Amino acid sequence: MKTYILWYRNDLRVHDHFVLSKAVKEADRFLPVYVFNPDNFRMLKHGFPKTGYFRLKFLLESLIDLKASLRKLGSDLHILTGKPSVVLSELAAHLNARAIYASKEHTFEELRDENELTDMLGETELRFFEDRTLMNPGGTPFSMEKIPEVFTIFRKASEKNLEHRIKLCLPDPAGLPPLPDGIEINDIPTMGDFPVETPDVNYFYPDRFLGGETNGLKRFDYYVWESKRVLEYKQTRNGLVGDDYSSKFSPWLSLGCISPRRIFFELKKFEMAEEGNASTYWLIFELLWRDYFRFVAIKHGKKIFYKGGLKNIKKSVMRDDRLFDNWKNGETGISFIDANMHELNATGYMSNRGRQVVANHFVHELQLDWRAGAAYFESQLIDYDVTSNWCNWMYVGGIGNDPIEDRRFDIEKQVEMYDPQGIYQMLWK
Ligand SMILES: Cc1cc2nc3c(=O)[nH]c(=O)nc-3n(C[C@H](O)[C@H](O)[C@H](O)COP(=O)(O)OP(=O)(O)OC[C@H]3O[C@@H](n4cnc5c(N)ncnc54)[C@H](O)[C@@H]3O)c2cc1C
């Protein structure tokens, strides 16, 4: 009897899931597992948790949805809590598992988990598969060591033949092999099981982000096929108010509730069936940024978390807890900055424009250590994605992939361009 374990990580879906389809073909008995690693829920030295309220809530909703989908396919989702290397190796030994399959990650903590598990597993085979990006690292025009430091070079080369660089989506699974005999499936924990405080939530958008594959696919259908708002994306993407100025795919992409390949090929289908324009192109352009930062992280490894960034630039920074707290709490006295931080703190989301402005202010005006700002985003953002977050922060800070090192924003000009009537600032006062 060949028993396979699928270790779910940031790939919480059943559609277009390469690892799932591979394991299913090979296994007689099959167990999908998610591991809560306490390390991801620890308090950081800054005094806030690594995973804050919104991100945790979205994760739990996504797991509930995944469990329901797996059950419909004749399987289930088993939950473990502990260091992945310890709990997975114990489980593999207990089930006498032939293999553990998982999607590949490329950043420091995730690689540490992978390496520790490799060391602890006995006979069980451990395999990782690329499944997080549009193009797999092997499908890009560059080897990972030669990923250009400038996005435009990467994008232009990638866009040639892009459709052929991306693996076709897999058919939805019709059913899954039975669970291993005698396994008792553990329940998904609830919010109360974690040391996370419920924020003073002031919802303007109560149902904007509900976790899970079902909701992610719904959002895609709405934004592209039903409302066709995608056709205005290029003009509206710097917006601040409302649900539809941008796709809002990011939370579902960050946990893998929706496959980026599915987005790509559905957009291509939409372009054929309805219309393709500069906006449909631009959405794919943005997804290439997401790929790019992942590849930058593969190339540069731990440097994406270093104070001096990719360029090892030595800049003196202020250590001022009061300035940091004021920024974090939206109490800088600059209403545009404060409004953005209020939105983040009340919903877990902030627009791309807002992120650029508050990060720019943090680094260039307050002159604080960019890593503290990035850590706060990590805690708060409902769509936190390790490489998109840390590489964007480096970019804004002039120590990453922006060829201009000191790109300072003029706040008044930003307000004039993006919130001239102060509507956003009033909304999040
Ligand atoms: C300081 C800073 C931190 C950020 N942290 C994150 C993060 O943790 N997680 C995250 O997903 N994005 C992050 N971004 C990128 C971007 O702000 C969000 O992806 C975007 O605002 C999400 O909203 P959306 O899905 O409506 O985006 P859309 O504008 O609709 O874009 C579609 C998709 O393209 C991708 N994308 C768009 N812009 C970027 C970008 N600059 N970098 C990488 N991918 C991009 C996202 O997957 C997004 O969902 C950050 C940007 C900045 C400036």
Side-chain angles (χ1 to χ4, degrees), residues 384-404:
Y384 170 69
D385 171 287
V386 55
T387 57
S388 293
N389 188 55
W390 291 80
C391 294
N392 266 300
W393 268 92
M394 279 192 305
Y395 188 98
V396 173
I399 51 171
N401 302 97
D402 186 351
I404 299 170

Side-chain angles (χ1 to χ4, degrees), residues 49 78 84-85 148 186 259 272 287 324 375 395 401 403:
H78 189 48
S85 55
N186 293 336
S259 144
M272 293 290 283
L287 289 172
F324 181 52
Y395 188 98
N401 302 97

Side-chain angles (χ1 to χ4, degrees), residues 197-240:
E197 274 177 42
T198 308
D200 182 13
V201 179
N202 178 359
Y203 273 122
F204 288 100
Y205 307 111
D207 295 325
R208 184 194 258 178
F209 297 121
L210 294 174
E213 174 177 18
T214 311
N215 289 312
L217 293 172
K218 238 190 236 168
R219 172 66 194 172
F220 180 88
D221 280 347
Y222 166 77
Y223 187 70
V224 175
W225 291 105
E226 286 166 32
S227 72
K228 301 189 182 22
R229 291 297 296 261
V230 65
L231 289 170
E232 304 158 14
Y233 172 71
K234 190 156 185 253
Q235 291 78 46
T236 58
R237 56 181 282 277
N238 274 306
L240 299 163

Side-chain angles (χ1 to χ4, degrees), residues 233 246-250 253 283 286-287 289-290 293 349-352 355-356 359 377 381 383-385 388-389 392-393 396:
Y233 172 71
S246 65
S247 75
K248 308 292 189 301
F249 295 159
S250 55
L253 276 166
L283 194 52
E286 294 298 339
L287 289 172
W289 269 108
R290 180 175 173 274
F293 282 141
Y349 184 82
M350 187 194 289
S351 68
N352 182 54
R355 293 179 206 204
Q356 289 189 43
F377 269 29
L381 279 179
D383 61 12
Y384 170 69
D385 171 287
S388 293
N389 188 55
N392 266 300
W393 268 92
V396 173

Side-chain angles (χ1 to χ4, degrees), residues 243-262:
D243 272 348
D244 296 340
Y245 60 80
S246 65
S247 75
K248 308 292 189 301
F249 295 159
S250 55
W252 292 284
L253 276 166
S254 72
L255 283 186
C257 300
I258 187 161
S259 144
R261 293 180 297 263
R262 171 86 158 238

Side-chain angles (χ1 to χ4, degrees), residues 4-13 17 30-41 51 55-67 70 75-85 87-88 91 100-103 105 110 113 132 179 183-190 194 254-257 384:
Y4 279 53
I5 295 168
L6 165 54
W7 172 22
Y8 267 110
R9 305 176 86 190
N10 295 308
D11 49 351
L12 305 182
R13 64 174 185 273
H17 195 298
F30 175 65
L31 182 63
V33 176
Y34 184 82
V35 182
F36 279 91
N37 182 352
D39 204 39
N40 291 335
F41 302 93
T51 304
R55 199 144 76 81
L56 175 62
K57 182 170 170 290
F58 194 86
L59 169 64
L60 296 178
E61 288 162 0
S62 300
L63 291 171
I64 291 168
D65 187 61
L66 177 64
K67 186 179 177 78
L70 289 166
S75 187
D76 210 327
L77 181 67
H78 189 48
I79 301 291
L80 295 172
T81 302
K83 231 176 170 357
S85 55
V87 292
L88 285 168
L91 180 71
I100 298 180
Y101 282 0
S103 64
E105 294 286 349
E110 291 73 15
D113 290 344
R132 295 270 281 138
L179 295 169
I183 183 86
E184 273 189 38
I185 297 292
N186 293 336
D187 286 340
I188 297 170
T190 59
F194 297 86
S254 72
L255 283 186
C257 300
Y384 170 69

Side-chain angles (χ1 to χ4, degrees), residues 238-240 336 353 357 413-420 424:
N238 274 306
L240 299 163
F336 194 52
R353 174 57 38 195
V357 171
K413 214 164 158 198
Q414 293 288 318
V415 172
E416 222 176 84
M417 284 172 74
Y418 301 108
D419 193 30
Y424 179 74

